[in-house]
């Protein structure tokens, strides 16, 4: 099932000089996909995820989510889409400082939705945080915070999971574990788009792309190294 589709997406930043991280990017994402987008730092990977997450409006092209043109959405429709269908594993997404870990997860279950503490606890367990449920974010290590953000990103069963270098700051064990959990999510019908500056996870991908000069190239077939 198709979840979302980028067609000829163009994005400029105009802050003095014009930077064009996305010139003409097309990508179709289906449920079950685990798409890895590689590219060096500064090339536009995060920008791509911001557009896919409806946090940033492109300057050209079309972005369809479940066949609906997102550029026609009001702010509240976009907000509803994000809260209901998209899971963000971003480096700069923060936990709410005034809430404990469990409360952070329950909050992310969605406004107006029935809270499911058992599910929050189950996710905390999967991420090795069961004994930290009552801790506030400041009481956690950097790696624990990143794992907590990953747990929070999955709590509302998002159709699309956007992961921006999700293994940064994590040790070997938890890097492998995060990738395993993301693959598991794809296996259970979500779609995962993960961007990374290293090619380490290439073999995990169901589709491998490279962002280069504002264009997204499918390198699944040609991937030798
Ligand atoms: P990556 O995630 O691959 O490191 P980014 O998408 O963060 O790349 O950035 C791509 C380019 O766009 C960089 O040159 C960056 O400096 C520039 N850029 C990113 N965000 C902004 C912004 N809000 N305003 C101006 N330029 C930006
Ligand atoms: Mg980035």
């Amino acid at each position: 099932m198709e979840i979302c589709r980028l067609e000829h997406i163009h994005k400029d930043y105009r802050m003095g000089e014009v930077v064009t991280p996305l010139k003409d990017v097309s990508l179709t994402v289906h449920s079950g996909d685990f798409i890895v987008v590689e590219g060096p730092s500064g090339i536009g990977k995060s920008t791509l995820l911001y557009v896919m997450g409806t946090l940033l409006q492109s300057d050209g092209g079309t972005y369809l989510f479940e066949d609906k043109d997102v550029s026609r959405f009001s702010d509240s429709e976009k907000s509803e889409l994000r809260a209901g269908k998209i899971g963000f594993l971003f480096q700069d997404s923060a936990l709410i400082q005034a809430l404990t870990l469990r409360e952070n997860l329950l909050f992310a279950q969605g406004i107006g939705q029935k809270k499911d503490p058992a599910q929050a606890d189950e996710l905390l367990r999967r991420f090795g945080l069961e004994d930290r449920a009552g801790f506030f974010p400041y009481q956690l290590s950097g790696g624990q915070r990143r794992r907590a953000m990953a747990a929070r990103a999955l709590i509302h069963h998002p159709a699309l999971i956007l992961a921006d270098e999700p293994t940064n700051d994590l040790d070997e064990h938890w890097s492998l574990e995060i990738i395993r959990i993301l693959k598991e999510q794809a296996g259970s019908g979500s779609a995962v788009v993960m961007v990374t500056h290293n090619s380490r996870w290439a073999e995990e991908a169901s589709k491998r792309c490279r962002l280069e000069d504002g264009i997204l190239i499918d390198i699944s077939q040609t991937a030798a190294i």
Side-chain angles (χ1 to χ4, degrees), residues 41-42 44-47 50 91 164-165 195:
S41 176
K45 303 182 299 299
S46 296
T47 302
Y50 297 152
Q91 299 188 326
D164 194 341
E165 313 262 11
V195 304

Side-chain angles (χ1 to χ4, degrees), residues 201-216:
W201 307 111
E203 283 181 19
E204 311 292 340
S206 62
K207 176 173 177 161
R208 187 181 172 198
C209 303
R210 184 181 297 140
L211 190 56
E212 216 173 274
D213 291 332
I215 311 280
L216 197 63

Side-chain angles (χ1 to χ4, degrees), residues 12-15 17 19-22 39-50 56 164-165 195-197 211:
D12 289 326
Y13 291 118
R14 294 169 184 276
M15 297 246 302
E17 61 165 336
V19 179
T20 308
L22 310 177
S41 176
I43 203 79
K45 303 182 299 299
S46 296
T47 302
L48 173 66
L49 292 191
Y50 297 152
L56 192 63
D164 194 341
E165 313 262 11
V195 304
T196 170
H197 65 271
L211 190 56

